[in-house]
Amino acid sequence: MRASSSSDRFQQLDALRAVAIAIVMLHHYINPPILLSGFGVTFLFVLSGYFATNTLLNLRRRMEDGRTEMGGAVKDFYMRRYLRICPMYFLVLLITALCSVEGARDSLPWNAFFLANIQTVVSQQWNGRFSPMWSLSFLEQFYLIWPFVVLVLPRRRLVPVLICMTALGPAWRLLCYWQDFSAINWSVFPLASCDAVGCGALLAVARLGMVDKKVLPRLIWAAQWLGVPAYLLLVAAKGMHQPPWYTEIVIPFAASLAFVWLAEKASRGFSGPVGRLLNNETLAHIGRMSYSIFLIHTFTELLLPHVGALGQILDSNYRFVVLIPCTVLLANLAWRWIERPIQDMRRRMPRPEMPVLTAASAAVAEPS
């Protein structure tokens, strides 16, 4: 059986994004929530932690090689993040505010500054169709501080700091359990998702060889033989009546660890039937559009007429049959006319460079 090419491996990660965003849509379209509800966002957090840290570690290497400086590396990271996230995001906020979508104008100051999760915690209630924005706000808050951690810390400190950050998630949820905090605090407060992004970041550090070579095999072993079985067992028991500490403290951490194995395996390339499925171009394309799908999926229903048979479907628990394909079609338009041109511009952006000081150039630069 042929080995997966580099493009295949990226394609498999994109395909997994498609699965994750499908879980997110089903979570918001079906009531009561499906068994895997919440885990789509967890997997996307793991991938975000991995890719953001991977980018920062490559910039760090350029700093260590003398090809760029701290300011240039930070500017490069933020500019690429801005072009990836902000244009489509602010377009959605503008259109919903102009169309007077319920909650759009009241939440606009919070959403504009990526504080939707803080608004949810302060108000202790979900903000209607804008409720999913809490996860994007958390990621932007993570991106705000993470460059200064990865680019500044000594290499020997990276793994201990990542382990501590990963532990913050279960520790916060345990505190919520002891103090009897609301369910919103368990899931939306920024510390609650640190284990997901922390696990993804740890995978990036281990894979790029920035730490001891023993870290990666140990991490993958723990993810495969502890995280995956624990996650599967816990999900199987999720439908039963379990105490909150079990479902809200243990399961998210087990899921984050299991998704590390899944992401690492996909980055190398699944083979066999799973590999053929994840190499499907349509699935991968949906994964590449996952950001647009995430932003618009709660608003798709507003564009459809609630009349006749269509109205009956939209008012039923089978509305996902209509809403998912319609959302994907809208996202495809956004991808073609907005996201892909911006992505192409990001790829053409030059990396920050500093001239490498050779002996000859040093002699020329030396004042007489």
Side-chain angles (χ1 to χ4, degrees):
M1 186 169 294
R2 73 178 181 86
S4 297
S5 67
S6 176
S7 60
D8 286 338
R9 293 196 292 272
F10 283 115
Q11 186 158 302
Q12 291 193 11
L13 285 173
D14 285 335
L16 287 176
R17 278 197 184 100
V19 175
I21 200 64
I23 294 173
V24 171
M25 285 190 286
L26 288 173
H27 171 61
H28 293 124
Y29 292 159
I30 296 178
N31 188 30
I34 63 173
L35 185 62
L36 295 178
S37 289
F39 296 123
V41 169
T42 302
F43 182 66
L44 294 174
F45 281 166
V46 171
L47 285 184
S48 296
Y50 172 74
F51 283 117
T53 307
N54 188 76
T55 298
L56 288 167
L57 289 174
N58 284 321
L59 288 170
R60 178 181 175 127
R61 282 181 170 173
R62 301 173 76 85
M63 290 172 55
E64 293 172 346
D65 294 341
R67 289 184 289 164
T68 188
E69 57 185 1
M70 178 74 175
V74 172
K75 180 181 177 181
D76 180 80
F77 177 80
Y78 283 141
M79 180 57 68
R80 292 174 186 275
R81 288 292 92 195
Y82 172 86
L83 290 175
R84 176 71 184 95
I85 291 173
C86 292
M88 187 67 188
Y89 176 68
F90 284 110
L91 180 62
V92 169
L93 294 186
L94 176 63
I95 292 175
T96 53
L98 291 176
C99 295
S100 299
V101 173
E102 184 178 1
R105 296 179 181 178
D106 292 340
S107 62
L108 183 59
W110 298 91
N111 290 329
F113 289 97
F114 296 100
L115 295 173
N117 55 343
I118 304 301
Q119 180 193 20
T120 303
V121 170
V122 170
S123 65
Q124 285 295 296
Q125 61 183 4
W126 296 104
N127 190 23
R129 298 184 188 277
F130 294 88
S131 297
M133 298 301 182
W134 76 266
S135 56
L136 183 59
S137 293
F138 164 71
L139 284 179
E140 283 299 291
Q141 292 154 17
F142 168 69
Y143 295 148
L144 186 64
I145 63 172
W146 198 235
F148 300 98
V149 175
V150 177
L151 297 178
V152 173
L153 275 181
R155 290 194 180 197
R156 68 180 185 278
R157 303 288 187 188
L158 284 174
V159 171
V161 166
L162 281 169
I163 291 174
C164 290
M165 187 179 77
T166 301
L168 281 176
W172 168 255
R173 297 192 296 270
L174 182 61
L175 177 64
C176 290
Y177 173 70
W178 280 341
Q179 298 298 318
D180 197 26
F181 290 164
S182 70
I184 285 178
N185 289 297
W186 286 66
S187 57
V188 174
F189 193 81
L191 294 180
S193 300
C194 281
D195 44 349
V197 292
C199 282
L202 187 58
L203 176 61
V205 169
R207 283 208 63 184
L208 281 185
M210 301 294 285
V211 292
D212 192 308
K213 293 181 179 179
K214 297 179 181 179
V215 173
L216 180 59
R218 289 174 178 175
L219 174 63
I220 300 307
W221 184 91
Q224 181 175 0
W225 299 109
L226 298 179
V228 173
Y231 171 62
L232 293 176
L233 289 173
L234 294 173
V235 168
K238 188 181 179 184
M240 306 176 187
H241 294 290
Q242 302 293 342
W245 65 265
Y246 183 81
T247 57
E248 303 297 337
I249 299 175
V250 180
I251 290 184
F253 176 71
S256 299
L257 195 57
F259 294 155
V260 164
W261 172 83
L262 186 63
E264 200 276 340
K265 184 70 174 175
S267 69
R268 296 185 183 276
F270 278 99
S271 59
V274 175
R276 288 192 292 272
L277 174 64
L278 295 181
N279 285 330
N280 180 273
E281 177 55 37
T282 300
L283 197 62
H285 181 59
I286 293 174
R288 288 190 285 271
M289 300 187 301
S290 59
Y291 180 58
S292 289
I293 292 174
F294 169 79
L295 288 178
I296 66 178
H297 77 278
T298 56
F299 305 107
T300 305
E301 185 179 2
L302 299 177
L303 302 176
L304 301 176
H306 282 61
V307 295
L310 179 60
Q312 293 178 359
I313 295 175
L314 292 175
D315 292 334
S316 73
N317 214 29
Y318 296 98
R319 58 182 184 152
F320 69 92
V321 176
V322 173
L323 293 180
I324 288 181
C326 287
T327 300
V328 171
L329 288 174
L330 288 172
N332 190 54
L333 295 176
W335 169 261
R336 180 177 180 180
W337 298 108
I338 302 173
E339 281 207 271
R340 187 169 63 183
I342 294 175
Q343 295 282 11
D344 292 340
M345 182 173 65
R346 286 176 69 216
R347 294 189 186 96
R348 292 193 297 268
M349 286 176 58
R351 289 289 185 182
E353 292 285 353
M354 289 179 61
V356 178
L357 193 64
T358 62
S361 61
V364 173
E366 186 70 21
S368 58

